[in-house]
Amino acid sequence: MFVFIRRMIKQELKDDYYRGSMYNILLRLKFFIIFILIANIVFADTLGKEEIENKVDTLLSKMTLQEKIGQMQQISFWGSVEDLRETIKNGKVGSFLNASDAKSTYELQKIAVEETRLGIPLIFARDVIHGQETIFPIPLGQAASWNAELIEKAARVAAVEATATGIKWTFAPMIDISRDPRWGRVAESCGEDPYLTSKLGAAMIKGFQGKDLTDPTSMAACAKHFVGYGASEAGKDYNTTFIPERQLREIHLKPFKEAVDVDVASMMSAFNDINGIPASGNKFTLKTILRDEWGFNGLVVSDWASMTQMIMHGFCEDEKEVAFKSIEANIDMEMASTSYIDHLETLINEKKIDAALIDNAVKNILRLKYKLGLFENPYTAIPDSKVARQEEHLKVAEKLAGQSIVLLKNKNEILPLSDDFKKIAVIGPLADNALEQNGCWVFEGFGKDGITPLTALKEKFGNDKEVIFAKGLKSTVDSDEDGFADAISAANKSDVVLLFIGEDAFLSGESHCRAFLNLPGAQEELVSKLAATGKPIITIIMAGRPLTFEKIESEVDAILYAWHPGTMGGPAIADILTGVETPSGKLPITFPRSVGQIPIYYAHHNTGRPAESVDRSVPLGTPLNPKGFASFYLDVDISPAYPFGYGLSYTKFDYSAIKIFKEKYKLGEIIEVECLLKNLGNYNADEIVQLYIRDLSASAVQPVKLLKGFQRIHLKTDETKTVKFSIHTDELSIHDAEMESVTEPGKFKIWIGSNSADLLESEFEIIK
Ligand code: NOJ
């Protein structure tokens, strides 16, 4: 750069016009320097990338085949550091998962850096799913906040706490589109919608990865599970999936594409087979789409033994074939099983695979290690003071837990609790259980220091109110009614009952699926017995999934759905019950009335014979259905118990005056639509305003509604705001008959409103 400037000055001095005019030269230089500075900022990233590529190539050129294959192995930490010394020294591992304390990660790293030929650092991975020690609500709960900014903050906190122990890679976010609440892993997801999942998944990635991966508090995120895992048949974990390509692209792949767009560092291949080809050996999804179409050069790790499980699938004869099919599909690192380390060398010697495949995989691994700055700073400085559970972290957890709570019912506005209630019965197996309120996928934060609703309420009420506690049932699966007498007596002595029921943590998560979604154990009986006391009942349901609870719905006065809210669940719930906070959560997944309605999701196709959402039951003795031959059930309404996007507030919001700016938009234009939102009630509150569209006629049938935008708007009482959305016509693209992504001219409906079933409607047309 300096040579260039010198030349320029010389050139300028030769010029007659400028000769002698240093001022002019400096003026020109000023602009030039500004240009260089801007160019430096713009191209710094590119230069950094180039530098990393050079380093990767140089290191790769020094590596033996065995060292390369060693990098491709991820081992679960077991036993002691000493047990693993030889494995590391011999270059047979590139990464560990589940080494989670600062001392172990430090010692393991020291062996890799000091005792291996090339000193390549290890990368430590862990399932930091919804927090490290400060536990946030389960991801499905977080999604109910529809608050990308806050979710990003939570992931940042998780990264700060996890990296303090040497973990530089989390296996999150899980962005599988989940439309079957029987599936235990629905708890780990952001729910049923591709748009919402894309936005919230991206927020988590940004939070984990921070502004710069080299920052000591940044860790690599891992978008999982690639792909289609959420479509597991019958909601049974690991099950087969059948997903037509259009659905694959428009539903399941959407959040992963967004993850790539926000620079996710890694992806994990899934356990399921897709249309007969296991996801971990699937060249179409892993190579054609992920690598070739999207240009992803991040690290792809298998799921736990998902490669060798291709033998059980009946897709590979033995582990050698597993290694062959997985490397052909471009999986870079094998988690837990050892087909690569055992067979890749033979496959190379037999010339069955191209050495470039291995080089490419190792490059993806090394690139991430360089990006994380592990070569320069392989060790995590053990912090002097405790990083986890700082005041600030707990505040974020409390805020997110509060915003994740969804108010489903509030008869006669019984909530927030009136001051007249002086004696409060706190009842139920989940009222005082810090461990269960954390939900699935919690390691380091296992129940430690979590604040339960009972503790929080007692603290909040102090001497003003009397709290009478009775568990009623030992756990949510308990069927023994021995504790009922105490619970009923507590209710009888009180003015109001706060009933904490739902699911214990172990009822959701990986491999924890359910065929029935009712409240387990004798919880329904407990509700009925308490209802018989005639006391008002506020039910707080904590669960890892949507439950079916129509039976108790009419017996209680209010229902708050709190998911598994995490460490600060108690204070968050107490604030909502007492009106310090107003509920604002909205369902990220449809709640069915019964298991028989599953799969039920708002973005379904209309069919040629859609039914009205009314009672369809057919009178006995009728020869032919008098209500018409439509798409419905004889024994349950077609509508869900609660629609996607649903959630009440203590205040009342009024939507009016939807306005589409133009009737016709040309391809490439921005569609603008707005409405008025007024707070008619007595509480300042947030409302999540939702925007949906429908492409009315397309070359492939489109869903009856699709979420295309949302905003969290705060309104004081009596305040009115205009809420405006702008969408580029590209965002309305679909996959046509040839599977090309296009926005097709034609008519569209557009809606704004408070949930997928309660909306103001308008329309527009897209023209060429
Ligand atoms: C299996 C799970 O499917 C995956 O989500 C998780 O990250 C790995 N085990 C590692 O624990």
Side-chain angles (χ1 to χ4, degrees):
M1 188 176 108
F2 290 110
V3 177
F4 189 74
I5 295 173
R6 217 170 40 231
R7 269 198 211 134
M8 199 178 114
I9 294 172
K10 274 188 191 163
Q11 187 59 41
E12 298 291 14
L13 288 174
K14 273 187 219 151
D15 192 312
D16 274 351
Y17 181 79
Y18 284 104
R19 189 171 299 143
S21 170
M22 252 350 247
Y23 173 78
N24 274 325
I25 292 170
L26 287 174
L27 196 72
R28 282 208 145 193
L29 266 180
K30 188 172 97 188
F31 289 118
F32 180 71
I33 288 167
I34 290 172
F35 166 77
I36 293 290
L37 284 176
I38 293 172
N40 258 334
I41 295 167
V42 175
F43 296 117
D45 200 35
T46 325
L47 292 176
K49 276 183 188 155
E50 233 179 82
E51 206 183 319
I52 287 183
E53 287 315 306
N54 291 339
K55 285 184 175 170
V56 166
D57 287 341
T58 312
L59 180 54
L60 192 75
S61 68
K62 294 182 191 153
M63 292 170 79
T64 63
L65 179 61
Q66 292 79 6
E67 280 165 339
K68 289 177 188 172
I69 297 170
Q71 283 298 309
M72 298 165 75
Q73 179 68 54
Q74 183 176 67
I75 297 178
S76 184
F77 180 65
W78 53 270
S80 67
V81 171
E82 264 335 289
D83 293 331
L84 292 155
R85 181 176 295 277
E86 285 310 300
T87 309
I88 303 172
K89 268 173 79 171
N90 296 334
K92 290 197 177 311
V93 55
S95 167
F96 280 101
L97 74 152
N98 297 335
S100 60
D101 64 287
K103 186 167 173 288
S104 312
T105 53
Y106 177 84
E107 287 171 2
L108 293 166
Q109 191 70 298
K110 202 161 153 49
I111 305 172
V113 171
E114 292 179 6
E115 298 183 40
T116 62
R117 193 176 74 90
L118 295 168
I120 301 174
L122 296 160
I123 173 169
F124 297 101
R126 185 80 159 151
D127 289 283
V128 184
I129 307 294
H130 53 117
Q132 171 79 355
E133 288 198 42
T134 302
I135 302 300
F136 298 94
I138 50 167
L140 190 61
Q142 294 188 31
S145 76
W146 297 52
N147 190 339
E149 214 180 296
L150 187 55
I151 287 173
E152 181 177 334
K153 270 193 194 152
R156 189 87 285 280
V157 167
V160 168
E161 293 190 358
T163 51
T165 66
I167 296 166
K168 292 298 281 178
W169 187 11
T170 176
F171 294 139
M174 192 269 233
I175 49 177
D176 297 309
I177 297 303
S178 310
R179 295 181 165 180
D180 193 328
R182 292 171 296 182
W183 192 43
R185 303 201 79 168
V186 75
E188 291 173 59
S189 78
C190 291
E192 76 181 45
D193 185 64
Y195 182 85
L196 184 63
T197 302
S198 300
K199 298 299 164 206
L200 303 186
M204 290 176 190
I205 292 165
K206 288 185 203 157
F208 289 132
Q209 298 194 167
K211 287 206 176 64
D212 177 357
L213 273 182
T214 57
D215 187 291
T217 67
S218 288
M219 62 178 165
C222 181
K224 70 186 189 185
H225 305 83
F226 200 77
V227 58
Y229 187 30
S232 296
E233 276 197 343
K236 197 172 60 166
D237 211 0
Y238 316 123
N239 209 3
T240 296
T241 69
F242 292 101
I243 312 173
E245 187 177 340
R246 181 167 296 103
Q247 266 64 45
L248 187 68
R249 289 183 181 275
E250 291 185 357
I251 299 167
H252 301 276
L253 285 168
K254 272 258 158 77
F256 288 94
K257 177 63 172 61
E258 182 96 12
V260 170
D261 290 345
V262 298
D263 262 338
V264 70
S266 72
M267 295 239 182
M268 185 186 293
S269 68
F271 284 127
N272 54 294
D273 68 299
I274 314 159
N275 309 326
I277 314 291
S280 291
N282 198 312
K283 254 182 136 168
F284 176 59
T285 53
L286 286 169
K287 179 155 174 16
T288 310
I289 296 179
L290 183 60
R291 303 294 196 184
D292 301 345
E293 278 182 32
W294 298 355
F296 182 67
N297 70 357
L299 197 167
V300 175
V301 64
S302 78
D303 202 340
W304 185 287
S306 66
M307 283 165 47
T308 49
Q309 285 162 16
M310 293 198 291
I311 301 171
M312 290 304 282
H313 276 285
F315 186 66
C316 297
E317 196 178 303
D318 51 24
E319 294 203 2
K320 189 171 169 193
E321 194 180 356
V322 165
F324 174 79
K325 286 191 165 157
S326 308
I327 193 74
E328 287 273 318
N330 280 206
I331 294 205
D332 303 319
M333 187 178 272
E334 180 169 9
M335 186 196 296
S337 55
T338 58
S339 73
Y340 274 172
I341 211 147
D342 294 339
H343 300 284
L344 280 182
E345 195 176 345
T346 319
L347 286 168
I348 287 279
N349 293 339
E350 289 172 357
K351 303 212 171 0
K352 295 244 170 65
I353 56 166
D354 189 342
L357 279 174
I358 292 183
D359 282 356
N360 203 46
V362 179
K363 275 186 182 185
N364 294 343
I365 295 164
L366 296 179
R367 184 179 301 115
L368 180 56
K369 291 185 175 182
Y370 275 113
K371 276 188 178 177
L372 285 165
L374 286 173
F375 286 87
E376 293 79 20
N377 298 305
Y379 305 109
T380 300
I382 298 179
D384 304 334
S385 56
K386 190 168 155 56
V387 171
R389 290 215 182 89
Q390 293 169 25
E391 200 48 42
E392 276 309 302
H393 298 187
L394 296 176
K395 272 193 196 146
V396 181
E398 184 173 345
K399 191 162 179 197
L400 190 46
Q403 293 197 2
S404 76
I405 294 170
V406 185
L407 177 65
L408 294 177
K409 177 176 181 178
N410 196 15
K411 194 169 118 196
N412 300 330
E413 298 183 345
I414 186 156
L415 284 177
L417 292 172
S418 138
D419 275 347
D420 299 342
F421 294 138
K422 295 292 180 207
K423 290 186 176 177
I424 318 272
V426 174
I427 297 176
L430 296 177
D432 192 30
N433 198 325
L435 193 137
E436 302 302 340
Q437 78 184 34
N438 277 343
C440 58
W441 282 113
V442 170
F443 298 120
E444 276 69 39
F446 215 59
K448 272 191 285 174
D449 307 336
I451 304 179
T452 67
L454 181 67
T455 309
L457 286 164
K458 276 186 174 165
E459 195 184 325
K460 190 169 272 294
F461 295 147
N463 295 326
D464 292 351
K465 295 182 200 287
E466 187 186 346
V467 172
I468 308 168
F469 173 57
K471 224 171 165 187
L473 290 161
K474 287 189 198 73
S475 74
T476 65
V477 291
D478 183 13
S479 301
D480 183 345
E481 299 189 5
D482 280 0
F484 280 21
D486 278 355
I488 293 164
S489 135
N492 279 328
K493 282 187 221 147
S494 306
D495 303 321
V496 65
V497 174
L498 304 180
L499 179 59
F500 292 85
I501 52 177
E503 286 184 321
D504 288 307
F506 84 99
L507 290 174
S508 58
E510 187 182 346
S511 185
H512 290 70
C513 303
R514 296 183 61 200
F516 299 102
L517 296 181
N518 54 314
L519 289 157
Q523 294 185 97
E524 284 181 0
E525 289 77 3
L526 178 61
V527 177
S528 298
K529 294 269 162 58
L530 292 171
T533 64
K535 301 287 174 167
I537 299 180
I538 317 288
T539 313
I540 300 92
I541 300 180
M542 293 188 195
R545 56 159 67 76
L547 294 174
T548 53
F549 45 90
E550 231 180 357
K551 186 165 175 291
I552 65 142
E553 211 267 352
S554 55
E555 295 176 320
V556 302
D557 296 271
I559 302 175
L560 281 171
Y561 216 82
W563 318 97
H564 285 131
T567 307
M568 297 303 282
I573 292 171
D575 275 354
I576 293 226
L577 287 170
T578 52
V580 174
E581 296 291 338
T582 303
S584 60
K586 302 262 186 170
L587 299 178
I589 184 165
T590 305
F591 274 42
R593 292 174 188 275
S594 72
V595 171
Q597 286 183 314
I598 298 170
I600 181 168
Y601 47 90
Y602 84 92
H604 59 84
H605 286 188
N606 205 30
T607 81
R609 292 182 174 217
E612 298 298 319
S613 177
V614 290
D615 171 32
R616 307 296 309 181
S617 56
V618 182
L620 280 178
T622 323
L624 276 178
N625 185 348
K627 294 178 178 172
F629 287 84
S631 182
F632 68 94
Y633 299 106
L634 292 175
D635 45 8
V636 63
D637 195 275
I638 53 161
S639 67
Y642 302 99
F644 175 81
Y646 183 81
L648 302 170
S649 171
Y650 293 158
T651 201
K652 190 169 165 18
F653 290 107
D654 178 61
Y655 285 77
S656 67
I658 185 167
K659 178 177 129 197
I660 182 96
F661 281 49
K662 294 202 292 181
E663 278 172 19
K664 294 185 186 196
Y665 287 93
K666 283 199 185 127
L667 284 171
E669 284 190 330
I670 309 275
I671 299 147
E672 290 175 305
V673 62
E674 65 180 32
C675 79
L676 288 182
L677 180 70
K678 180 162 192 198
N679 183 348
L680 298 177
N682 300 324
Y683 297 86
N684 300 336
D686 282 6
E687 164 73 339
I688 296 157
V689 181
Q690 300 159 41
L691 174 87
Y692 297 85
I693 61 103
R694 179 178 179 192
D695 189 338
L696 289 175
S697 139
S699 55
V701 171
Q702 292 301 302
V704 293
K705 254 167 225 156
L706 269 183
L707 183 74
K708 287 288 172 184
F710 59 88
Q711 292 177 43
R712 183 178 264 273
I713 305 287
H714 185 77
L715 284 187
K716 298 201 186 86
T717 51
D718 272 336
E719 197 184 358
T720 303
K721 272 186 188 162
T722 300
V723 184
K724 183 175 171 189
F725 291 91
S726 307
I727 339 162
H728 194 280
T729 55
D730 285 357
E731 292 173 58
L732 306 183
S733 65
I734 61 160
H735 286 85
D736 68 8
E738 278 72 48
M739 222 46 81
E740 292 295 326
S741 173
V742 285
T743 301
E744 295 185 334
K747 291 190 171 150
F748 288 76
K749 277 217 186 316
I750 189 157
W751 296 270
I752 305 182
S754 67
N755 68 67
S756 62
D758 185 8
L759 299 157
L760 299 175
E761 181 179 298
S762 186
E763 53 194 26
F764 65 92
E765 193 176 338
I766 293 188
I767 53 173
K768 274 200 185 140

